[in-house]
Amino acid sequence: VRDSAPSAADCQPLPDGAVVQSRSLARIAYDHDQAILQLEFRDETVYRYFQVPSQIYQDILQADSKGAYFNHHIRNVFRGARLGAGLRCASFRVGCPKVTGSITTRWAFRP
């Protein structure tokens, strides 16, 4: 889990990601240089996860259920931030969304 809060650079959107077939996720992008995984959900919210090994990115792209993979291997495992209005980040450590079908629930943000 990343200990420091995201910087302004962490909150810039990644270039085009992969459009995925999923009930919960719309697009997945990865920055190999910084080990940042960016997930765009169907409701158009975008979340950034830090210090994610590239194998996790490859695995979620190949997963039969991307939502289930997210819940078991990314959610509550990696430190993340929600990209909000004006590309601001809201850092979180726990209470990340649990994906159930096409709905994300229970967000708890750490200031």
Side-chain angles (χ1 to χ4, degrees):
V1 174
R2 182 178 175 157
D3 292 327
S4 61
S7 69
D10 291 332
C11 297
Q12 298 302 315
L14 294 180
D16 294 334
V19 174
V20 294
Q21 295 292 321
S22 170
R23 290 182 302 173
S24 54
L25 294 169
R27 184 180 301 271
I28 301 172
Y30 187 74
D31 182 322
H32 291 275
D33 294 332
Q34 297 182 55
I36 295 173
L37 178 68
Q38 180 173 291
L39 302 176
E40 180 181 338
F41 287 84
R42 290 276 170 210
D43 66 1
E44 297 183 2
T45 55
V46 179
Y47 298 89
R48 185 69 62 83
Y49 294 88
F50 305 98
Q51 296 182 339
V52 178
S54 61
Q55 188 61 51
I56 296 290
Y57 170 63
Q58 295 299 324
D59 290 348
I60 194 171
L61 289 176
Q62 299 301 316
D64 290 333
S65 172
K66 288 158 182 52
Y69 187 91
F70 168 77
N71 283 331
H72 292 103
H73 301 284
I74 299 168
R75 177 181 165 261
N76 292 332
V77 175
F78 297 99
R79 175 84 179 244
R82 177 181 178 180
L83 274 65
L87 299 177
R88 294 176 311 198
C89 285
S91 176
F92 58 84
R93 180 182 298 265
V94 296
C96 299
K98 180 167 184 164
V99 175
T100 54
S102 61
I103 301 171
T104 57
T105 58
R106 273 193 13 196
W107 285 96
F109 294 98
R110 189 177 79 99

